[in-house]
Amino acid sequence: MSMKKIAILSGDGIGPEIVAEAIKLLDCLKHNFGFDVELESAAIGGAGYDQDGDPLPESTLTICQQADAVLLGAVGGPAYEGLERELRPERGLLRIRAELELFSNLRPAMLYPQLASASSLKDEIVSGLDIMIVRELTGGIYFGQPRGIRELDNGEKQGFNTLVYAEYEIERIGRSAFDIAMLRNKKLCSVDKANVLEVSELWREVMNRLSTDYPEVELSHMYVDNASMQLVRAPKQFDVMVTTNMFGDILSDTAAMLTGSIGMLPSASLDSNGKGMYEPIHGSAPDIAGKSIANPLATLLSVAMMLRYSLGEAELANLIDVAVGNVLNQGFRTADIADGANSVSTAEMGDAVVAAMRVQSN
Ligand code: NAD
């Protein structure tokens, strides 16, 4: 096993608290499972601004470029809201995604049976839910040019953005999604708006073309309005979904909330070589920062995704998934998933997962 380098970006708010638990887990992998890993910490977001006046300091970018994978806590907070746009913590995040060309955003929505009551939907609709949404992350309407707000001849203002996808962009996110479908149940649903948008027509054409390279994967297409409805009507019909930046932004939040627990969901953003940045889907939760009550499980599950998708350690990833299931079975709950019952602290939850890992190393 060759040595792996992981860049650790704790960020702001609860970021340092939850990432501390991930570091404990990585130490356990090193000492109990012989996983050869080196961690290097760097500042991002508000912490980057405090350190260097830049939400993505040059030194941080270099560390991330040299690493095999990046683990991020979260960025942002009220202290930075008054800064000009370019200096805001969230800009650091957008910039690192662009710099590392992390075009493929993997957002799983998985419901742990132990937490079924946390969902706003009925048990029978969500129990066993396990969806992977693959969202294009560096193109589409969020990046298309021209964009802006202009003044028309009649003096009225007009806002405009451009939805644009080049074939290569569709092809690489398509391949990423087909590859993931091959690792799962070989079922892929491509979501578009081909009845209205030319961009979507091209999207569909490229997805169909790619499917000939993946004969084992069953490809289907769905309009985005229907997909949003189906996600709340019968979400278990989906396995892997692939879609554009904006559609994915919206659908992945809907899918995440089907599970009812924002503190449980990890995510990955990958480049074309499988290098990636891994982070919980939630933000820096300033309302609970410093209280030691944040749920670290989304971050620990992000470590599992990192092992699976960037570091070629699927077995260790599976052990983490099992450990998390076991601590939930043992009744450990942080406040966000406790449903009024007794809860444990961030560190107690992290320790419980490490203990459940050690049991599996014996
Ligand atoms: P948030 O996700 O930080 O918090 C939403 C709610 O969920 C809050 O009540 C919070 O306490 C709770 N929550 C979030 N994570 C939790 C956890 N691990 N355990 C328990 N409870 C948890 O979203 P927000 O309040 O809209 O945003 C706060 C800040 O985070 C903003 O500055 C925003 O820009 C930033 N943000 C950052 C990221 C990121 O770093 N990827 C993502 C979203 C928002």
Side-chain angles (χ1 to χ4, degrees):
M1 209 188 311
S2 67
M3 200 268 284
K4 304 290 185 195
K5 250 175 131 168
I6 301 176
I8 302 282
L9 313 181
S10 299
D12 311 316
I14 60 169
E17 299 169 44
I18 52 180
V19 168
E21 302 312 309
I23 293 173
K24 279 186 198 165
L25 175 61
L26 287 162
D27 279 346
C28 166
L29 295 180
K30 185 170 179 165
H31 295 117
N32 297 78
F33 294 86
F35 177 51
D36 195 4
V37 65
E38 188 185 290
L39 311 182
E40 191 162 9
S41 297
I44 193 166
Y49 176 79
D50 291 341
Q51 180 190 290
D52 279 352
D54 183 349
L56 179 61
E58 202 54 46
S59 55
T60 297
L61 181 58
T62 307
I63 288 171
C64 293
Q65 282 164 335
Q66 289 168 353
D68 295 295
V70 181
L71 181 69
L72 173 86
V75 300
Y80 308 101
E81 273 163 18
L83 292 174
E84 62 183 90
R85 191 170 287 275
E86 279 307 303
L87 297 177
R88 285 195 208 150
E90 294 76 9
R91 282 304 296 177
L93 200 53
L94 291 180
R95 271 173 51 206
I96 196 162
R97 286 175 181 158
E99 291 281 355
L100 299 180
E101 291 188 69
L102 305 174
F103 65 88
S104 177
N105 185 210
L106 276 45
R107 300 256 314 237
M110 224 186 112
L111 186 78
Y112 283 86
Q114 302 89 334
L115 303 179
S117 62
S119 177
S120 51
L121 297 189
K122 292 185 203 117
D123 267 18
E124 65 264 28
I125 293 183
V126 288
S127 71
L129 181 77
D130 183 0
I131 300 175
M132 177 71 82
I133 296 192
V134 181
R135 166 191 171 195
E136 200 290 326
L137 198 62
T138 54
I141 198 163
Y142 291 177
F143 290 88
Q145 294 289 345
R147 61 191 294 161
I149 298 174
R150 61 191 163 206
E151 201 170 301
L152 300 176
D153 290 345
N154 64 5
E156 197 191 1
K157 282 189 190 162
Q158 186 186 55
F160 59 102
N161 289 88
T162 303
L163 172 57
V164 56
Y165 270 112
E167 236 175 323
Y168 83 91
E169 291 176 293
I170 305 172
E171 186 164 333
R172 66 182 183 179
I173 191 68
R175 281 203 187 281
S176 185
F178 274 103
D179 286 342
I180 285 156
M182 285 295 291
L183 294 175
R184 293 173 50 106
N185 292 327
K186 303 189 170 75
K187 229 178 108 187
L188 176 63
C189 178
S190 171
V191 176
D192 63 34
K193 190 72 184 167
N195 50 344
V196 178
L197 301 171
E198 286 78 359
V199 172
S200 282
E201 256 176 61
L202 179 65
W203 179 279
R204 207 174 262 224
E205 186 188 310
V206 174
M207 291 295 159
N208 282 332
R209 193 169 70 218
L210 281 177
S211 74
T212 59
D213 290 347
Y214 297 86
E216 288 175 61
V217 176
E218 179 198 323
L219 172 69
S220 61
H221 302 276
M222 194 178 280
Y223 297 138
V224 63
D225 39 349
N226 187 23
S228 72
M229 193 175 82
Q230 296 299 333
L231 267 177
V232 288
R233 194 189 71 85
K236 284 188 276 181
Q237 70 185 283
F238 297 111
D239 190 60
V240 182
M241 302 173 89
V242 61
T243 191
T244 57
N245 201 342
M246 184 163 72
F247 294 164
D249 190 2
I250 299 163
L251 293 180
S252 62
D253 267 26
T254 305
M257 284 325 294
L258 297 178
T259 73
S261 44
I262 197 170
M264 294 294 302
L265 295 176
S267 77
S269 306
L270 304 177
D271 74 4
S272 49
N273 300 314
K275 174 171 168 172
M277 185 163 83
Y278 295 81
E279 55 182 308
I281 66 156
H282 59 73
S284 57
D287 53 333
I288 58 166
K291 296 186 180 163
S292 305
I293 59 170
N295 186 346
L297 292 180
T299 315
L300 302 186
L301 292 167
S302 298
V303 172
M305 284 190 88
M306 173 189 288
L307 291 161
R308 181 172 291 121
Y309 291 108
S310 286
L311 303 180
E313 297 286 352
E315 274 179 35
L316 288 180
N318 291 339
L319 292 180
I320 295 174
D321 290 343
V322 169
V324 168
N326 288 347
V327 301
L328 292 175
N329 284 337
Q330 289 158 24
F332 286 89
R333 300 282 187 278
T334 42
D336 57 310
I337 51 172
D339 211 9
N342 285 345
S343 57
V344 299
S345 69
T346 308
E348 284 166 336
M349 185 59 108
D351 289 343
V353 173
V354 167
M357 286 299 288
R358 290 211 181 103
V359 168
Q360 298 186 85
S361 76
N362 293 332

Coordinates of all heavy atoms in Angstrom, one line a residue, residues 45-93:
G45 N -11.7 29.4 3.5 CA -12.9 30.1 3.9 C -12.5 31.3 4.9 O -11.5 32.0 4.6
G46 N -13.3 31.5 5.9 CA -13.1 32.5 6.8 C -11.7 32.4 7.5 O -11.0 33.3 7.7
A47 N -11.3 31.1 7.8 CA -10.0 30.8 8.4 C -8.9 31.3 7.4 O -7.9 31.8 7.9 CB -9.9 29.4 8.7
G48 N -9.1 31.1 6.1 CA -8.1 31.5 5.2 C -8.0 33.0 5.1 O -6.9 33.6 5.1
Y49 N -9.2 33.7 5.2 CA -9.2 35.1 5.2 C -8.5 35.7 6.5 O -7.7 36.6 6.4 CB -10.7 35.6 5.2 CG -10.8 37.1 5.3 CD1 -10.5 37.9 4.2 CD2 -11.1 37.7 6.5 CE1 -10.6 39.3 4.3 CE2 -11.1 39.1 6.6 CZ -10.9 39.9 5.5 OH -10.9 41.3 5.6
D50 N -8.8 35.0 7.6 CA -8.1 35.5 8.9 C -6.6 35.3 8.8 O -5.8 36.1 9.2 CB -8.6 34.7 10.1 CG -10.1 35.0 10.4 OD1 -10.5 36.1 10.0 OD2 -10.7 34.2 11.1
Q51 N -6.2 34.2 8.1 CA -4.8 33.9 8.1 C -4.0 34.8 7.0 O -3.0 35.4 7.3 CB -4.6 32.4 7.7 CG -3.1 32.0 7.6 CD -3.0 30.6 7.0 OE1 -3.3 29.6 7.7 NE2 -2.5 30.5 5.8
D52 N -4.6 34.9 5.8 CA -3.9 35.5 4.7 C -4.7 36.6 4.0 O -4.2 37.0 2.9 CB -3.5 34.4 3.7 CG -2.3 33.6 4.1 OD1 -1.7 34.0 5.0 OD2 -2.0 32.6 3.4
G53 N -5.9 36.9 4.5 CA -6.7 37.9 3.8 C -7.3 37.3 2.5 O -7.7 38.1 1.6
D54 N -7.3 36.0 2.4 CA -7.8 35.3 1.1 C -8.5 34.0 1.5 O -8.0 33.2 2.2 CB -6.5 35.0 0.3 CG -6.9 34.4 -1.1 OD1 -8.1 34.0 -1.3 OD2 -6.0 34.3 -1.9
P55 N -9.8 33.8 1.0 CA -10.5 32.6 1.4 C -9.9 31.3 0.8 O -10.2 30.2 1.3 CB -11.9 32.9 0.9 CG -11.8 33.9 -0.2 CD -10.6 34.7 0.2
L56 N -9.0 31.5 -0.2 CA -8.3 30.3 -0.6 C -6.8 30.8 -0.8 O -6.3 31.1 -1.9 CB -8.8 29.8 -2.0 CG -8.0 28.6 -2.6 CD1 -8.1 27.4 -1.7 CD2 -8.6 28.3 -4.0
P57 N -6.1 30.7 0.3 CA -4.6 31.1 0.3 C -3.9 30.2 -0.7 O -4.2 29.0 -0.9 CB -4.1 30.9 1.7 CG -5.4 30.9 2.6 CD -6.5 30.3 1.7
E58 N -2.9 30.8 -1.4 CA -2.0 30.1 -2.3 C -1.5 28.9 -1.7 O -1.4 27.8 -2.4 CB -0.9 31.1 -2.8 CG -0.3 30.8 -4.1 CD -1.2 30.7 -5.3 OE1 -2.1 31.6 -5.4 OE2 -1.1 29.8 -6.1
S59 N -1.0 29.0 -0.4 CA -0.4 27.8 0.2 C -1.4 26.6 0.3 O -1.0 25.5 0.2 CB 0.2 28.2 1.6 OG -0.8 28.8 2.3
T60 N -2.6 27.0 0.6 CA -3.7 26.0 0.7 C -3.9 25.3 -0.6 O -4.0 24.0 -0.7 CB -5.0 26.6 1.2 OG1 -4.8 27.2 2.5 CG2 -6.1 25.6 1.2
L61 N -3.9 26.1 -1.7 CA -4.2 25.5 -3.0 C -3.0 24.5 -3.3 O -3.2 23.4 -3.8 CB -4.2 26.6 -4.1 CG -4.5 26.1 -5.5 CD1 -5.8 25.3 -5.6 CD2 -4.5 27.3 -6.4
T62 N -1.8 24.9 -3.0 CA -0.6 24.1 -3.3 C -0.7 22.7 -2.6 O -0.5 21.7 -3.2 CB 0.7 24.8 -2.9 OG1 0.7 26.1 -3.6 CG2 1.9 24.0 -3.4
I63 N -1.1 22.8 -1.3 CA -1.2 21.6 -0.5 C -2.3 20.7 -1.1 O -2.1 19.5 -1.2 CB -1.5 22.0 1.0 CG1 -0.3 22.6 1.7 CG2 -2.0 20.7 1.8 CD1 -0.5 23.2 3.0
C64 N -3.4 21.3 -1.5 CA -4.5 20.5 -2.1 C -4.0 19.8 -3.4 O -4.4 18.7 -3.7 CB -5.7 21.3 -2.3 SG -6.4 21.8 -0.7
Q65 N -3.3 20.6 -4.2 CA -2.8 20.1 -5.5 C -1.9 18.9 -5.3 O -1.9 18.0 -6.1 CB -2.2 21.2 -6.3 CG -3.2 22.2 -7.0 CD -2.5 23.5 -7.5 OE1 -1.5 23.9 -7.0 NE2 -3.2 24.1 -8.4
Q66 N -1.1 19.0 -4.3 CA -0.1 17.9 -4.1 C -0.7 16.7 -3.3 O 0.0 15.6 -3.3 CB 1.1 18.5 -3.3 CG 1.9 19.4 -4.1 CD 2.9 20.2 -3.3 OE1 2.9 20.1 -2.1 NE2 3.8 21.0 -4.0
A67 N -1.9 16.8 -2.8 CA -2.5 15.7 -2.0 C -3.2 14.7 -2.9 O -3.5 15.0 -4.1 CB -3.5 16.3 -1.0
D68 N -3.4 13.5 -2.4 CA -4.2 12.5 -3.2 C -5.7 12.8 -3.0 O -6.5 12.3 -3.9 CB -3.9 11.1 -2.6 CG -2.4 10.8 -2.9 OD1 -2.1 10.6 -4.1 OD2 -1.7 10.6 -1.9
A69 N -6.1 13.4 -1.9 CA -7.5 13.8 -1.7 C -7.6 14.9 -0.7 O -6.6 15.1 0.0 CB -8.2 12.5 -1.2
V70 N -8.7 15.5 -0.7 CA -8.9 16.7 0.2 C -10.1 16.4 1.1 O -11.2 16.0 0.6 CB -9.2 18.0 -0.6 CG1 -9.3 19.2 0.4 CG2 -8.0 18.2 -1.6
L71 N -10.0 16.7 2.4 CA -11.2 16.6 3.3 C -11.5 18.0 3.8 O -10.6 18.7 4.3 CB -10.8 15.7 4.5 CG -12.0 15.5 5.5 CD1 -13.1 14.7 4.8 CD2 -11.6 14.8 6.8
L72 N -12.7 18.4 3.6 CA -13.2 19.7 4.0 C -14.2 19.6 5.1 O -15.1 18.8 5.0 CB -13.7 20.5 2.8 CG -14.3 21.8 3.0 CD1 -13.3 22.9 3.0 CD2 -15.4 22.2 2.0
G73 N -14.2 20.5 6.1 CA -15.2 20.6 7.1 C -16.4 21.5 6.5 O -17.3 20.9 5.8
A74 N -16.4 22.7 6.7 CA -17.4 23.6 6.1 C -16.8 25.1 6.2 O -15.9 25.3 7.0 CB -18.7 23.6 6.9
V75 N -17.4 26.0 5.4 CA -16.9 27.4 5.5 C -18.1 28.3 5.7 O -19.2 28.0 5.4 CB -16.1 27.8 4.2 CG1 -14.9 26.9 3.9 CG2 -17.1 27.7 3.0
G76 N -17.7 29.5 6.2 CA -18.7 30.6 6.3 C -19.1 30.9 7.7 O -18.9 30.1 8.6
G77 N -19.7 32.0 7.8 CA -20.1 32.5 9.2 C -20.5 33.9 9.2 O -20.1 34.7 8.3
P78 N -21.2 34.3 10.2 CA -21.7 35.7 10.2 C -20.6 36.8 10.2 O -20.8 37.8 9.7 CB -22.5 35.8 11.5 CG -22.5 34.5 12.2 CD -21.7 33.5 11.3
A79 N -19.4 36.4 10.8 CA -18.3 37.4 10.9 C -17.8 37.8 9.5 O -17.2 38.8 9.4 CB -17.2 36.7 11.7
Y80 N -18.1 37.0 8.5 CA -17.6 37.3 7.2 C -18.6 37.8 6.2 O -18.3 38.0 5.0 CB -16.9 36.0 6.6 CG -15.9 35.4 7.6 CD1 -16.2 34.3 8.4 CD2 -14.6 36.0 7.8 CE1 -15.3 33.8 9.3 CE2 -13.7 35.5 8.7 CZ -14.1 34.4 9.4 OH -13.2 33.9 10.3
E81 N -19.8 37.9 6.7 CA -20.9 38.3 5.7 C -20.8 39.7 5.1 O -21.3 39.9 4.0 CB -22.3 38.1 6.4 CG -22.8 36.6 6.3 CD -23.9 36.3 7.2 OE1 -24.5 37.2 7.8 OE2 -24.1 35.1 7.4
G82 N -20.1 40.6 5.8 CA -20.0 41.9 5.3 C -18.9 42.1 4.3 O -18.7 43.2 3.7
L83 N -18.1 41.1 4.1 CA -16.9 41.2 3.2 C -17.4 41.3 1.7 O -18.5 40.8 1.4 CB -16.0 40.0 3.3 CG -15.3 39.8 4.6 CD1 -14.5 38.4 4.6 CD2 -14.3 40.9 4.8
E84 N -16.5 41.9 0.9 CA -16.9 42.0 -0.5 C -16.9 40.5 -1.1 O -16.2 39.7 -0.6 CB -16.0 42.9 -1.3 CG -14.5 42.5 -1.3 CD -13.6 43.5 -2.0 OE1 -13.1 44.4 -1.4 OE2 -13.5 43.3 -3.2
R85 N -17.7 40.3 -2.1 CA -18.0 39.0 -2.6 C -16.8 38.1 -2.8 O -16.7 37.0 -2.4 CB -18.7 39.1 -4.0 CG -19.3 37.9 -4.5 CD -20.3 38.1 -5.6 NE -21.5 38.8 -5.2 CZ -22.6 38.1 -4.8 NH1 -22.5 36.8 -4.7 NH2 -23.7 38.7 -4.4
E86 N -15.7 38.7 -3.4 CA -14.5 37.9 -3.7 C -13.8 37.4 -2.5 O -13.0 36.4 -2.6 CB -13.5 38.7 -4.6 CG -13.9 38.8 -6.0 CD -14.0 37.4 -6.7 OE1 -13.1 36.6 -6.6 OE2 -15.1 37.1 -7.2
L87 N -14.0 38.1 -1.3 CA -13.3 37.7 -0.1 C -14.1 36.8 0.8 O -13.6 36.3 1.8 CB -12.9 38.9 0.6 CG -11.9 39.8 -0.1 CD1 -11.6 41.1 0.7 CD2 -10.6 39.1 -0.4
R88 N -15.4 36.6 0.4 CA -16.2 35.8 1.3 C -15.8 34.3 1.3 O -15.3 33.8 0.3 CB -17.7 35.9 0.8 CG -18.3 37.2 1.2 CD -19.8 37.2 1.1 NE -20.2 38.5 0.8 CZ -21.3 38.9 0.1 NH1 -22.0 37.9 -0.4 NH2 -21.6 40.1 -0.1
P89 N -16.0 33.6 2.4 CA -15.6 32.2 2.6 C -16.0 31.3 1.5 O -15.3 30.5 0.9 CB -16.2 31.8 3.9 CG -16.4 33.1 4.7 CD -16.6 34.1 3.7
E90 N -17.3 31.5 1.0 CA -17.9 30.6 0.0 C -17.1 30.7 -1.3 O -17.1 29.8 -2.1 CB -19.4 30.9 -0.2 CG -20.3 30.6 1.0 CD -20.2 31.6 2.1 OE1 -19.5 32.7 2.0 OE2 -20.7 31.3 3.2
R91 N -16.5 31.9 -1.6 CA -15.7 32.1 -2.8 C -14.5 31.1 -2.8 O -14.1 30.6 -3.8 CB -15.2 33.5 -2.9 CG -16.2 34.5 -3.4 CD -16.8 34.2 -4.7 NE -15.9 34.2 -5.8 CZ -16.3 33.8 -7.1 NH1 -17.5 33.5 -7.3 NH2 -15.4 33.8 -8.1
G92 N -14.0 30.9 -1.6 CA -12.8 30.0 -1.5 C -13.2 28.6 -1.9 O -12.4 27.9 -2.6
L93 N -14.4 28.2 -1.6 CA -14.9 26.9 -1.9 C -15.1 26.8 -3.5 O -14.7 25.8 -4.1 CB -16.2 26.7 -1.2 CG -16.7 25.3 -1.0 CD1 -15.7 24.4 -0.4 CD2 -18.0 25.3 -0.1

